[in-house]
Amino acid sequence: MLNEFKNYIKDRPVVTIAVTVVFAILVDRIIMSCSSIDLLKIIPTSILGAITAYIAYQQYIVSRNQKELAEDKHKLELFEKRFETYQLFLNVAVWSDRICLYRSSEMQENSEKWKKSEIIRSKIQENFDVMVSLGEQSRFLFGEDVFKILADARVDIFTLDGLVTSIREIKSKESEGKSFIEDMVSDSSETIAPILKRCREIRKNLFNFYSEELPKVMGPYLKIAPYKNADTL
């Protein structure tokens, strides 16, 4: 309170001087027009009134601070939920672009890359339910524009996972130990070529999603500070 009073005086010197002069004149007139007995009656009442006003003002300050704290807490929780949604969809989209579609003859020699791919795919599948949940909540956390983009990305991610499963099932039925040329010819077969083409299209869509669309539509919601900002979306 004292700091606020000091700032008020500093920001409004003319008003402060005028109020001080008027108050001094008023007090002087009261003293001049009242007897000693009257003054003894007025002073206690004035002191009591001042104390009451001070207490009321302090209660107002406490109430206002509590309201601001509650608003800040709400803004912070909203910010954290929004960022959780952004981070999940960003991670899963990036991971989806790193999955090995199948274990080719070259991949046999690079088991470490295959293991990392399988770990990534497991992480994607583990987050399927969370993606559905946060995707639906995005209607209320953001808006319909964000919801639509996340829904489209989610469909692409689920579809790509299903296509990877189909490709691996087809490849698992082929004979092992093929040469690199034979492997490439096999990938161009009528059965698997359309699936591979669709995978490439989805990966292109997901790259565009996490590199351009996602930061563009969600950026305005995440750039705003969660504390004491009346303009928070």
Side-chain angles (χ1 to χ4, degrees):
M1 177 183 176
L2 182 58
N3 290 333
E4 293 180 0
F5 185 67
K6 289 180 179 179
N7 291 333
Y8 183 89
I9 294 175
K10 182 179 179 181
D11 296 336
R12 301 172 179 83
V14 177
V15 176
T16 303
I17 293 173
V19 171
T20 303
V21 172
V22 171
F23 181 75
I25 294 173
L26 181 62
V27 171
D28 182 68
R29 292 293 178 87
I30 292 174
I31 294 175
M32 293 297 295
S33 62
C34 296
S35 63
S36 300
I37 297 175
D38 293 332
L39 288 175
L40 291 175
K41 294 179 180 179
I42 293 173
I43 291 175
T45 304
S46 300
I47 293 174
L48 181 61
I51 293 174
T52 303
Y54 176 79
I55 294 174
Y57 180 74
Q58 288 297 313
Q59 290 176 339
Y60 162 75
I61 294 297
V62 171
S63 176
R64 187 184 65 180
N65 290 340
Q66 289 177 341
K67 181 180 179 181
E68 290 177 352
L69 287 173
E71 291 176 351
D72 288 344
K73 181 180 178 182
H74 170 71
K75 292 174 183 178
L76 179 59
E77 291 174 348
L78 181 60
F79 179 86
E80 290 177 342
K81 199 67 176 178
R82 286 171 172 173
F83 188 77
E84 179 186 0
T85 303
Y86 167 80
Q87 189 174 41
L88 175 67
F89 276 84
L90 172 64
N91 288 342
V92 175
V94 173
W95 292 338
S96 297
D97 198 30
R98 296 169 58 188
I99 295 177
C100 298
L101 300 182
Y102 60 92
R103 193 165 186 172
S104 63
S105 56
E106 281 190 330
M107 191 66 66
Q108 299 288 349
E109 301 175 1
N110 192 353
S111 59
E112 190 64 29
K113 183 177 180 180
W114 177 259
K115 289 178 182 179
K116 289 181 179 179
S117 173
E118 291 302 277
I119 292 174
I120 289 173
R121 194 183 185 204
S122 297
K123 290 168 69 175
I124 293 174
Q125 293 174 341
E126 288 171 1
N127 283 284
F128 276 176
D129 291 342
V130 183
M131 287 180 62
V132 174
S133 177
L134 291 181
E136 295 303 314
Q137 292 177 41
S138 66
R139 292 179 184 269
F140 312 101
L141 294 173
F142 302 94
E144 288 296 326
D145 56 338
V146 175
F147 167 76
K148 184 180 184 307
I149 290 176
L150 296 184
D152 291 343
R154 188 173 59 196
V155 169
D156 281 342
I157 291 168
F158 290 169
T159 302
L160 181 61
D161 184 75
L163 293 176
V164 171
T165 300
S166 299
I167 291 174
R168 292 184 178 185
E169 288 178 353
I170 294 173
K171 299 296 291 185
S172 65
K173 297 176 183 178
E174 296 180 351
S175 60
E176 298 181 358
K178 300 188 300 301
S179 66
F180 176 73
I181 299 298
E182 291 174 330
D183 197 41
M184 293 297 293
V185 173
S186 176
D187 291 347
S188 301
S189 65
E190 294 183 359
T191 303
I192 203 171
I195 303 177
L196 292 173
K197 180 181 179 181
R198 179 58 181 150
C199 287
R200 288 192 291 269
E201 291 174 352
I202 292 177
R203 282 182 162 177
K204 184 178 180 181
N205 292 340
L206 289 176
F207 175 79
N208 183 63
F209 164 73
Y210 71 74
S211 63
E212 295 184 14
E213 292 182 343
L214 189 63
K216 180 178 179 180
V217 297
M218 297 183 70
Y221 296 92
L222 299 175
K223 288 181 180 178
I224 297 173
Y227 298 106
K228 296 185 180 297
N229 193 329
D231 296 329
T232 300
L233 295 175

